[in-house]
Amino acid sequence: MIWSPAVDPARILLRPCPPGMDGPRLAARGDVIVSDLGEDGFCTASIRGVEFPLLFLAGGPDQPVAAVVVADHLALDRLEAVERFWAALNGEKVPPERRRMSLQKRQRAGKSLRAVDGRKDGASYRVIAQVLFPAHRITLATWKSNALRETVIRLVRDGLLLVAGGYRSLLHRRRHDRKHKRRTVRTG
């Protein structure tokens, strides 16, 4: 699957360098393998075994390129991708991609999707709880007051959000909302 750069900040946007500047020519380098370059500009570059999803906005790998970073809410993720690409191009150690999700969040997303599958197959919340949490003893008599009941209901709700398109949020790191106070600039 090819993700749009509007959704996936790891896709690096490239364009020909501005006049008077000279960037790397990917096709001229022996350590860069550009594959699957289509007419739409989407491709993958492999540098010393590390793969980078690219999008040529204009030009191609035979021209000197410059990276474009859109100044949107994913700009910091985009900068991280460019930093990793730059390190690979310069023979430096490529920093690891920062975890977009913690282990706990990945496990919860997996349980949420399994819970949604169970509901779509007609399973009750109690049956889903028995499958997802086999170590817990869940009886029909205690089900209404069992804390797992609310947990399973929330898992199904969150899974439905993922299925409805929320899965795209898994492609970028979660940031705490930064509340910037508006500062007025006084002139004169």
Side-chain angles (χ1 to χ4, degrees):
M1 166 160 274
I2 295 179
W3 291 99
S4 158
V7 175
D8 185 8
R11 184 158 301 276
I12 300 166
L13 307 175
L14 299 174
R15 64 176 299 276
C17 279
M21 300 183 84
D22 193 30
R25 294 174 191 263
L26 302 180
R29 296 180 54 129
D31 61 343
V32 178
I33 300 169
V34 177
S35 58
D36 301 325
L37 178 59
E39 290 180 22
D40 55 3
F42 285 93
C43 65
T44 302
S46 180
I47 306 170
R48 295 188 334 267
V50 181
E51 292 201 356
F52 298 92
L54 305 177
L55 172 58
F56 286 95
L57 300 173
D62 54 329
Q63 297 177 314
V65 293
V68 176
V69 177
V70 178
D72 61 3
H73 69 285
L74 299 174
L76 294 176
D77 291 338
R78 296 180 198 287
L79 285 169
E80 178 188 324
V82 171
E83 176 188 17
R84 295 179 75 249
F85 185 62
W86 181 87
L89 285 173
N90 287 290
E92 297 182 7
K93 182 180 178 191
V94 177
E97 193 171 12
R98 293 191 183 127
R99 287 270 179 209
R100 295 176 183 182
M101 289 179 65
S102 67
L103 175 62
Q104 181 181 6
K105 286 183 181 181
R106 282 195 311 271
Q107 289 172 342
R108 181 169 175 79
K111 283 184 178 179
S112 292
L113 293 173
R114 288 176 62 202
V116 167
D117 282 345
R119 277 307 270 182
K120 289 195 175 195
D121 284 343
S124 67
Y125 288 124
R126 188 170 70 84
V127 169
I128 293 169
Q130 290 171 331
V131 171
L132 293 180
F133 305 100
H136 294 273
R137 187 160 187 263
I138 302 167
T139 64
L140 186 57
T142 62
W143 174 242
K144 290 285 185 184
S145 61
N146 195 317
L148 284 179
R149 181 175 180 268
E150 291 302 318
T151 300
V152 171
I153 291 171
R154 283 192 305 270
L155 285 172
V156 170
R157 180 198 64 209
D158 295 347
L160 287 170
L161 291 174
L162 286 173
V163 170
Y167 64 90
R168 291 184 181 122
S169 67
L170 303 178
L171 293 172
H172 53 84
R173 291 186 320 212
R174 184 178 170 137
R175 289 192 181 15
H176 298 290
D177 288 335
R178 296 178 183 166
K179 302 211 178 191
H180 296 287
K181 294 181 181 178
R182 289 188 177 207
R183 296 179 186 161
T184 56
V185 179
R186 295 182 185 179
T187 57

